[in-house]
């Protein structure tokens, strides 16, 4: 990349009056504030400032403004200063001769100075440290903000950098103050010790990287990109890939060592293909502050020998993971393929873990801060994770109170125990609305309980555990350790070494060692190995639960829907059911479903005819009228009665009759509604006349412009105006009455039309009828195109109106249906 040419002496002289004028304005505007200056680099060489104490950017290279000279001038000026860096390749060439000297080696920002470097764009403005040293050193109390640059080839791993501040650390930047990097690229930087790109020392207040790419940086110690011993960490909208550390933290190493590491924030970022020889393929946190990971992706990170293929967190208090994805991370020869927590509390929500691998805990190894720690995993999915050498294909639960709710585990596996979840903590464990489908292990294809709870309890509520496989206990191994299993489906699991004595299909060792069963009733056990013969009320033993294959049925995770006729529908203990299912579908309090999936509220049925309790004459023609509707998120799939709606009911036989309508919706929920009527002989009492029923009054547009066409019955589409539609149970005469609110004056307690005589009276609003339409309509759905024209001479003008629709037949009138609309002015 060619260097920018220095500005000519003539150009610099011509700019002097303008610069003086701008300086005067700046001094007036900033009276009483800290000094500030802007330096524009116009020379890509590495010449130092002519006067080492000078405040103007004039270098030894003919008075040009180099990057090094600009930093020196900013240091001497003090306060807040801006350096504008144009396109070009700005290569450092002067080896360091001592610490804190910006005239040689790295570019030092001195204490009390704030420097902003604004480049022309990453890949356009390139700061090349040229392997002689790092690029920048932010000294104690200083601040450096960088945007739109590339920083490359920083190197603190050789003799040339030994005389710089904190030699061996921070390949690109040493930070002991406040550092912010935005929209930049850090690449190809290395350190002999920690921080392949950045080292934030014990007096640093903050380290922030946003909207940037950080790649191919390496540390011979910890922190392939970043090592932090003090201050907050913020990584937002970054891509951090192919970085490495010979010890911990392929990207981030954060450790409190006498100072305080503040909050750690990772948001909207991607960490992929990073490696660490020891813990934390991407992130290593030790005594760091609360850590938040949101909307981020961790993929193909790995450790060679130790825990936490993506994240290792030791005693940082709280690690929160939200809306994030972890895939194909590996923990080498140790535990926690994606996440390993040690003496740290963990919260995971709405996140996905797939194809991660570790010896124990293929996805997550949970080791809380104490037996009372509150750890939770909610609405998350675990798919295809693997415990390579031992237990817990998805999760290994080692310590602390863990709750897992509304989450799905599928295709996870372990070489020995617990294809999905291995429990060994002895602390409370709660599984609510969870789905464990098609996981595999030698023992406990889905779950392996290795001990009882000594604090709290082990409880399963409304879980679905199906189609899992193991040599022993395809579903659960040693369920007797649990304290409560209720409203759950444990079915269609396979134990290839099935034993009638010990169990092995759905469960292995359901009762033993003088322990009592955890069965609390209303469970489904398809082969009787979990609860068979115990006689607990509500249990269904040896039945097919009729569970559909795992699928996206709405909600944050996949679930196993209940098929029509499933014995799980409506058979749970409603007093124990959680408020919603795994998808967030409300559960009815009276008759909720067994398992993690709720079929939804039953459809509603309305029977208008025959009227309940009505009396009809033998042979009288009475048309049936009924309809069904489904709750939100479902649709009606069946709505049937003895005869179709609008067909004649049975009045041929004397006596009491029952008219029953059955309905079912797309969620397989069903309902039934009945009406009773009596058929009598003769003409007394007088035949009942059923008024017509008008329903489903709708309009295609609530706001429209008027046209010039007359109302046209049964026209499907209008270019202007709107189309009214409604449904009748029988042929009838229908009247549309239009009303409008208009202004008036209050006279004698009434609102009357305004006149000159009453113009001083109180204003009021009155309802007028600008017109009506009457026409014949048929049974079923009718449509009326309307553009505002009531007759050839009467037209509704712009305004707000209400339509009142009434049907009349055999001298009887329906109830009135209304809707409102607005006619807009052209």
């Amino acid at each position: 990349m060619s260097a920018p040419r220095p500005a000519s002496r003539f150009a610099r002289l011509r700019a002097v009056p303008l610069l003086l004028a701008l300086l005067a304005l700046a001094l007036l505007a900033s009276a009483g504030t800290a000094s500030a200056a802007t330096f524009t680099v116009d020379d890509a060489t590495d010449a130092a400032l002519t006067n080492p104490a000078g405040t103007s950017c004039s270098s030894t290279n003919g008075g040009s403004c180099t990057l090094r000279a600009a930093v020196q001038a900013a240091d001497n000026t003090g306060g807040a200063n801006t350096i504008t860096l144009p396109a070009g390749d700005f290569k450092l060439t002067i080896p360091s001769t001592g610490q804190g000297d910006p005239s040689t080696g790295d570019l030092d920002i001195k204490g009390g100075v704030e420097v902003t470097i604004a480049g022309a764009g990453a890949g356009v403005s390139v700061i090349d440290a040229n392997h002689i040293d790092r690029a920048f050193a932010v000294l104690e109390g200083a601040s450096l903000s960088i945007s739109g640059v590339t920083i490359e080839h920083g190197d603190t791993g050789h003799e040339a950098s030994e005389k710089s501040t904190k030699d061996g650390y921070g390949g690109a930047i040493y930070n002991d103050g406040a550092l912010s990097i935005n929209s930049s690229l850090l690449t190809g930087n290395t350190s002999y010790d920690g921080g392949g790109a950045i080292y934030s020392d014990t007096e640093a207040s903050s380290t922030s990287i946003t909207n940037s790419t950080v790649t191919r940086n390496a540390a011979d110690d910890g922190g392939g990109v970043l090592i932090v011993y003090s201050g907050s960490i913020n990584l937002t909208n970054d891509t951090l890939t192919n970085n490495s550390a010979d010890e911990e933290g392929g990207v981030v190493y954060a450790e409190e060592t006498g100072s305080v590491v503040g909050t750690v924030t990772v948001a909207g970022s991607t960490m992929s293909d990073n490696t660490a020889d020891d813990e934390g393929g991407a992130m290593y946190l030790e005594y760091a502050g609360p850590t938040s990971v949101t909307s981020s992706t961790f993929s193909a990170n790995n450790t060679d020998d130790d825990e936490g293929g993506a994240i290792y967190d030791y005693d940082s208090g709280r690690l929160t993971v939200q809306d994030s994805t972890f895939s194909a991370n590996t923990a080498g020869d140790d535990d926690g393929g994606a996440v390993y927590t040690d003496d740290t509390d963990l919260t995971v929500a709405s996140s996905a873990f797939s194809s991660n691998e570790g010896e124990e805990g293929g996805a997550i190894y949970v080791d809380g801060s104490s037996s009372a720690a509150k750890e939770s995993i909610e609405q998350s999915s675990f798919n295809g994770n693997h415990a390579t050498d031992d237990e817990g294909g998805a999760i290994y639960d080692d310590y602390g109170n863990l709750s897992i709710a509304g989450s799905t585990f599928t295709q996870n596996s372990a070489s020995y125990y617990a294809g999905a979840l291995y429990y060994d903590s002895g602390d409370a464990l709660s599984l609510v609305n969870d789905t464990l489908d098609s996981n595999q292990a030698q023992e406990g294809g889905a779950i392996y309980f290795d001990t009882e709870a000594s604090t709290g309890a082990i409880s399963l509520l409304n879980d679905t555990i199906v189609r899992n496989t193991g040599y022993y206990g395809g579903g659960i191994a040693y369920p007797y350790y649990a304290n409560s299993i209720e409203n759950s489906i444990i079915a269609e699991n396979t134990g290839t070494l099935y034993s009638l004595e010990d169990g092995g299909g759905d469960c292995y060792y359901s009762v033993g060692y003088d322990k009592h069963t955890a069965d609390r009733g209303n469970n489904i056990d398809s082969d009787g190995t979990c609860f068979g013969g115990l006689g607990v009320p509500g249990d269904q033993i040896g039945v097919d639960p009729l569970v559909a294959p795992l699928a996206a049925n709405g909600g944050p995770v996949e679930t196993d829907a209940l098929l029509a006729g499933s014995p799980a529908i409506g058979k749970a203990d409603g007093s124990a059911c959680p408020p919603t299912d795994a998808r967030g579908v409300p559960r009815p309090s009276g008759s909720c479903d067994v398992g993690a999936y709720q079929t939804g509220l039953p459809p509603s049925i309305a029977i208008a005819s025959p009227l309940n309790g009505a009396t009809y004459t033998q042979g009288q023609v009475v048309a049936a009228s009924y309809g069904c509707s489904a709750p939100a998120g479902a649709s009606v799939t069946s709505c049937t009665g003895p005869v179709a709606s609008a067909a004649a009911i049975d009045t041929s036989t004397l006596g009491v009759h029952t008219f029953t309508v059955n309905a079912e919706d797309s969620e397989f929920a069903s309902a039934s509604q009945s009406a009773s009527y009596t058929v009598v002989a003769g003409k007394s009492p007088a035949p009942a006349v059923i008024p017509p029923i008008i329903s489903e009054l709708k309009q295609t547009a609530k706001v429209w412009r008027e046209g010039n066409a007359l109302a046209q019955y049964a026209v499907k589409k209008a270019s202007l105006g709107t189309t009214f539609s409604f449904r009748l149970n029988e042929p009838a005469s229908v009247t549309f009455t239009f009303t409008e609110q208009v202004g008036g004056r209050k006279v004698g307690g009434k609102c009357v039309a305004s006149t000159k005589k009453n113009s001083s009276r109180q204003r009021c609003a009155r309802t007028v009828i600008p017109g009506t339409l009457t026409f014949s309509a048929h049974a079923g759905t009718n449509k009326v195109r309307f553009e505002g024209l009531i007759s050839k001479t009467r037209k509704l003008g712009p305004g707000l109106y209400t339509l009142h629709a009434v049907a009349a037949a055999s001298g009887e009138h329906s109830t009135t249906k209304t809707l409102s609309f607005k006619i807009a002015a052209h």
Side-chain angles (χ1 to χ4, degrees):
M1 185 178 294
S2 61
R5 296 182 60 188
S8 68
R9 180 171 180 271
F10 173 75
R12 293 197 299 273
L13 290 175
R14 185 173 59 184
V16 167
L18 176 59
L19 290 173
L20 290 175
L22 291 173
L23 178 60
L25 290 173
L27 289 173
L28 289 173
S30 61
T33 64
S35 58
T38 298
F39 305 98
T40 301
V41 174
D42 56 21
D43 182 358
T45 68
D46 193 29
L49 204 62
T50 301
N51 175 10
T55 56
S56 62
C57 187
S58 178
S59 76
T60 58
N61 188 30
S64 64
C65 184
T66 66
L67 175 59
R68 185 177 296 279
V71 170
Q72 289 180 273
D75 281 343
N76 296 334
T77 300
N81 303 276
T82 299
I83 297 173
T84 301
L85 195 66
D89 191 352
F90 301 87
K91 184 177 294 187
L92 305 185
T93 58
I94 304 174
S96 177
T97 59
Q99 297 182 11
D101 180 7
S103 67
T104 65
D106 54 12
L107 306 175
D108 299 281
I109 313 299
K110 295 183 177 180
V113 178
E114 300 177 17
V115 174
T116 297
I117 297 178
V124 178
S125 299
V126 179
I127 300 173
D128 184 353
N130 195 30
H131 299 287
I132 66 161
D133 201 345
R134 66 174 70 92
F136 294 96
V138 184
L139 304 182
E140 183 178 343
S143 172
L144 175 61
S145 178
I146 299 172
S147 64
V149 302
T150 293
I151 300 177
E152 64 183 17
H153 303 149
D155 190 348
T156 58
H158 53 80
E159 292 182 4
S161 66
E162 288 181 356
K163 296 180 180 180
S164 292
T165 302
K166 201 75 173 184
D167 66 291
Y169 292 89
I173 301 171
Y174 170 83
N175 173 39
D176 209 23
L179 174 64
S180 175
I181 299 172
N182 182 45
S183 302
S184 295
L185 168 65
L186 277 67
T187 183
N189 302 287
T190 59
S191 67
Y192 177 76
D193 291 303
I198 300 169
Y199 179 90
S200 290
D201 213 342
T202 55
E203 298 301 322
S205 60
S206 62
T207 306
S208 176
I209 305 175
T210 59
N211 303 311
S212 297
T213 298
V214 186
T215 183
R216 301 189 184 282
N217 302 282
D220 286 349
D221 202 325
V225 171
L226 171 65
I227 190 166
V228 174
Y229 286 121
S230 176
S232 61
I233 303 171
N234 176 40
L235 304 174
T236 300
N237 297 333
D238 299 315
T239 298
L240 306 109
T241 181
N242 287 295
N243 303 285
S244 62
D246 283 354
E247 293 189 12
E248 302 90 349
V251 175
V252 175
Y253 180 109
E255 179 183 3
E256 180 183 323
T257 56
S259 298
V260 177
V261 175
T263 57
V264 180
T265 302
V266 179
S269 294
T270 296
M271 297 189 191
S272 63
D273 297 287
N274 303 289
T275 61
D277 282 358
D278 296 328
E279 296 93 345
M283 298 180 68
Y284 177 90
L285 309 167
E286 182 175 357
Y287 301 112
T291 299
S292 171
V293 175
T294 58
S295 304
S296 295
T297 298
F298 291 75
S299 65
N301 303 287
N302 72 86
T303 65
D304 286 344
D305 301 311
D306 285 296
E307 300 94 347
I311 299 176
Y312 176 95
D313 191 329
Y314 177 75
D315 200 13
S316 293
R318 171 64 64 179
L319 171 61
T320 300
V321 176
Q322 174 85 36
D323 297 318
S324 295
T325 300
F326 293 77
S327 63
N329 302 285
T330 59
D333 295 328
D334 225 310
D335 307 329
V339 176
Y340 185 101
T341 63
D342 187 355
D343 210 20
T344 294
D345 299 339
L346 175 67
T347 297
V348 176
S350 303
S351 296
F353 295 79
S354 62
S355 303
N356 303 285
E357 290 190 353
E359 283 196 344
E360 297 177 344
I364 299 177
Y365 189 102
V366 181
D367 190 350
S369 60
S370 70
S371 61
K374 299 295 185 183
E375 304 176 303
S376 66
I377 297 172
E378 296 182 354
Q379 296 184 330
S380 296
S381 62
F382 295 80
N383 185 351
N385 303 285
H386 181 56
T388 58
D389 193 46
D390 222 320
E391 306 101 346
I395 296 175
Y396 188 108
D397 180 15
D398 188 42
Y399 196 41
N401 293 326
L402 174 63
S403 65
I404 305 176
S407 297
T408 294
F409 299 77
T410 183
Q411 302 294 334
N412 302 287
S413 60
S415 297
Y416 290 99
Y417 311 124
L421 171 63
Y422 183 87
Y423 170 85
D424 190 34
S425 75
D427 301 317
L429 171 66
S430 171
L431 302 178
V432 180
N433 281 333
D434 295 310
T435 300
L436 297 92
D437 186 328
S438 302
N439 303 284
Q440 182 177 6
Q442 287 193 30
E443 292 190 28
I447 300 173
Y448 188 104
F449 293 123
D450 195 34
T451 185
E452 63 182 324
S454 56
T455 63
I458 301 171
S459 64
L460 284 71
L461 178 64
N462 281 94
D463 296 306
T464 298
I465 304 172
V466 295
R467 293 183 282 262
N468 302 283
T469 303
Y471 290 140
Y472 300 96
I476 303 176
Y478 303 98
Y480 65 77
Y481 279 133
N483 300 96
S484 173
I485 302 176
E486 187 172 9
N487 291 353
S488 293
I489 300 172
I490 309 175
E492 300 181 355
N493 301 287
T494 302
T496 56
L497 296 181
Y498 179 86
S499 165
L500 290 176
E501 179 180 354
D502 297 332
D506 290 330
C507 292
Y508 176 65
Y509 269 112
S510 58
V511 179
Y513 302 112
D514 297 325
K515 306 290 184 184
H516 295 291
T517 176
D519 187 8
R520 292 296 178 266
N522 300 93
N523 298 298
I524 294 178
D525 173 7
S526 63
D527 66 5
T529 57
C530 299
F531 313 118
L534 297 175
V536 176
D539 280 350
Q540 299 181 71
I541 307 301
V543 301
D544 184 346
L546 295 178
V547 172
L550 194 67
N553 297 307
V557 297
E558 290 187 322
T559 50
D560 290 324
L562 300 177
L563 298 173
S566 168
I569 296 174
K571 298 301 183 180
D573 180 356
S575 65
C577 279
T580 65
D581 76 349
R583 302 164 300 153
V585 173
R587 291 186 186 269
S589 58
S591 59
C592 52
D593 298 341
V594 179
Y597 183 94
Q598 176 64 41
T599 53
L601 298 174
S604 299
I605 302 172
I607 302 176
S609 176
L611 292 173
N612 190 41
T615 299
Y616 304 116
T617 303
Q618 188 175 26
Q620 180 181 342
V621 178
V622 178
S625 177
Y626 57 87
C628 307
S629 60
S635 58
V636 174
T637 57
S638 175
C639 180
T640 59
V643 297
S645 188
I649 68 172
D650 179 17
T651 59
S652 63
T653 305
L654 299 178
V656 177
H657 296 253
T658 300
F659 189 94
T660 301
V661 177
N662 297 300
E664 187 173 288
D665 64 23
S666 56
E667 297 298 310
F668 306 112
S670 60
S672 180
Q673 182 74 31
S674 297
S676 294
Y677 64 96
T678 302
V679 177
V680 298
K683 296 185 178 180
S684 180
V689 179
I690 307 301
I693 298 172
I694 186 170
S695 61
E696 301 179 25
L697 180 64
K698 300 176 184 178
Q699 57 189 341
T700 56
K702 292 183 179 180
V703 179
W704 43 272
R705 294 178 297 121
E706 73 271 30
N708 296 315
L710 289 170
Q712 297 180 47
Y713 174 70
V715 176
K716 294 184 178 180
K717 186 176 181 181
S719 58
L720 292 172
T722 188
T723 297
F724 299 121
S725 64
F726 57 90
R727 184 175 180 81
L728 291 175
N729 68 316
E730 61 178 300
S733 173
V734 175
T735 299
F736 281 0
T737 301
F738 299 95
T739 62
E740 180 183 15
Q741 292 283 308
V742 298
R745 298 289 180 173
K746 207 162 190 179
V747 178
K750 297 181 179 180
C751 188
V752 300
S754 298
T755 64
K756 289 182 179 180
K757 186 176 180 180
N758 63 21
S759 60
S760 62
R761 296 296 184 96
Q762 182 182 350
R763 295 180 183 274
C764 59
R766 62 195 186 94
T767 301
V768 299
I769 300 175
T772 61
L773 288 171
T774 301
F775 47 88
S776 296
H778 59 74
T781 300
N782 296 261
K783 294 184 179 181
V784 179
R785 193 183 85 183
F786 187 65
E787 296 183 5
L789 213 62
I790 296 174
S791 68
K792 291 183 178 179
T793 58
R794 180 62 179 147
K795 184 178 183 181
L796 302 183
L800 297 173
Y801 296 89
T802 299
L803 168 64
H804 307 259
V806 177
S810 303
E812 297 291 329
H813 292 80
S814 71
T815 57
T816 302
K817 300 293 183 180
T818 63
L819 54 76
S820 299
F821 61 91
K822 178 181 179 180
I823 301 178
H826 283 276

